[in-house]
Amino acid sequence: MKVSIIVPVYNVEKYLSKCLDSLLSQTLDNIEILVIDDGSTDHSSDIIQEYSSRSDKIHAFRKPNGGLSDARNYAFSHITGEYTGFIDSDDFVDSDMYETLYQRATETNADIVECNLHHTWADHEDTEYGEKLTNQKQLLMNGRSVVWNKIYRTEWLKSTGVSFPTGLIYEDVNFYSKLIPFLTKIEYVDQAFVHYVQRNTSINNHQSLKTLQIIDILNDILSFYKANGFYDEYQDALEFLFTRILLCSSMGRMSRIPDKSDRQKALALNWQE
């Protein structure tokens, strides 16, 4: 198997078919699509069963609800591909995405290959192009932490022992930051393959005190670097990353919390941190 694609699913019946259709249309042969139903209560389970009966590329699993990170971690033991990818079940991808990424990966023996992406709204798309960073400290400070615009060499990924933090949002920041010290080579392709669907119910559009979980995420990253002997080398890069997140993206999210009391509490704790 060339690429294993992990798709966590929870109550996305309106979007799931488009996601799975885009994966089944991939031009790369020998892929497997690991669909993890994380205890959905809508018709997502029925859609998964329908698609798995139509294609042997889809491997369907169902587990009690544990959140996005738990669903992704659950899939790790079922990966058989040389490379691993992640797609969220409300997004979709272009048909030549995994062929292009896999070709670059095998040509360069890269641990990670990254592509660009579209922010897809109901009536338009904005394309995001990232920097082609290769230095580990620069990647930690300014790299794109989202996991679904990349493929990862499976043997390398498993050797790091890194998994997603359960019970917390901002899980991609945690996962990506912990991988950086182990990284030997990252490659890029210019194309924007992923369509990151913007929904009014997403974390970017509905803020609450859950935004404070970024502090737990950052503290966990710090503990990981110290426990694994990486802290001294990456101290300055970590300080930059934490400052950028807490004073830019996180403060922006917290300022949009509708409840005034919760908003003031979040901003005060964020500043204190």
Side-chain angles (χ1 to χ4, degrees):
M1 200 64 62
K2 293 176 180 176
V3 178
S4 299
I5 306 165
I6 296 173
V7 187
V9 174
Y10 181 71
N11 290 355
V12 285
E13 61 183 10
K14 293 181 180 180
Y15 306 91
L16 183 55
S17 291
K18 190 166 189 175
C19 175
L20 296 179
D21 285 339
S22 74
L23 296 176
L24 287 175
S25 70
Q26 291 299 302
T27 56
L28 180 67
D29 58 357
N30 293 335
I31 66 170
E32 62 177 3
I33 304 164
L34 306 178
V35 184
I36 314 300
D37 182 357
D38 190 40
S40 295
T41 57
D42 64 357
H43 292 290
S44 295
S45 300
D46 298 330
I47 295 170
I48 293 169
Q49 290 305 313
E50 177 192 349
Y51 273 79
S52 65
S53 67
R54 286 163 36 190
S55 174
D56 59 7
K57 290 182 178 179
I58 293 184
H59 301 193
F61 303 88
R62 181 171 172 84
K63 58 177 286 297
N65 179 251
L68 176 63
S69 291
D70 192 56
R72 287 172 173 170
N73 291 339
Y74 177 91
F76 275 23
S77 62
H78 300 284
I79 295 169
T80 64
E82 296 174 57
Y83 283 81
T84 299
F86 302 91
I87 290 296
D88 287 351
S89 50
D90 50 356
D91 298 332
F92 61 97
V93 300
D94 292 339
S95 60
D96 53 343
M97 172 173 172
Y98 288 103
E99 182 175 13
T100 305
L101 293 180
Y102 179 77
Q103 182 177 353
R104 179 62 59 85
T106 54
E107 287 173 351
T108 61
N109 195 34
D111 298 324
I112 299 175
V113 180
E114 176 179 314
C115 70
N116 291 304
L117 58 107
H118 304 284
H119 294 260
T120 302
W121 304 85
D123 57 354
H124 72 282
E125 283 192 325
D126 298 319
T127 304
E128 176 185 311
Y129 294 97
E131 294 183 81
K132 295 181 179 180
L133 304 171
T134 56
N135 176 272
Q136 287 167 291
K137 293 178 182 178
Q138 287 292 329
L139 283 162
L140 181 60
M141 292 189 291
N142 293 305
R144 290 189 290 190
S145 61
V146 294
V147 300
W148 31 256
N149 70 331
K150 304 172 179 69
I151 60 172
Y152 309 77
R153 187 160 56 86
T154 302
E155 183 180 7
W156 169 79
L157 179 62
K158 290 187 174 182
S159 74
T160 68
V162 173
S163 61
F164 291 91
T166 58
L168 296 171
I169 58 176
Y170 309 113
E171 64 287 324
D172 286 11
V173 174
N174 188 282
F175 183 76
Y176 174 83
S177 298
K178 289 179 179 178
L179 287 178
I180 292 301
F182 301 101
L183 183 65
T184 58
K185 190 172 190 180
I186 184 170
E187 288 285 336
Y188 298 87
V189 299
D190 293 328
Q191 298 94 322
F193 288 122
V194 182
H195 299 262
Y196 176 33
V197 176
Q198 305 298 301
R199 296 194 288 158
N200 289 333
T201 56
S202 72
I203 186 64
N204 289 324
N205 296 297
H206 180 72
Q207 305 302 327
S208 70
L209 282 178
K210 277 191 173 182
T211 57
L212 283 170
Q213 291 182 13
I214 190 61
I215 296 174
D216 298 319
I217 288 290
L218 297 180
N219 283 332
D220 184 62
I221 293 170
L222 184 62
S223 296
F224 177 85
Y225 272 72
K226 289 182 176 180
N228 288 277
F230 301 135
Y231 178 72
D232 288 345
E233 181 180 356
Y234 288 92
Q235 181 178 357
D236 291 344
L238 287 167
E239 182 177 348
F240 181 94
L241 173 68
F242 289 14
T243 302
R244 179 172 66 82
I245 289 175
L246 292 173
L247 293 184
C248 297
S249 57
S250 291
M251 186 169 288
R253 290 190 180 99
M254 292 172 187
S255 67
R256 299 197 303 273
I257 295 175
D259 183 90
K260 182 178 180 180
S261 176
D262 287 348
R263 182 170 64 250
Q264 290 176 337
K265 177 181 179 181
L267 288 170
L269 289 173
N270 185 73
W271 182 258
Q272 177 181 324
E273 189 67 20

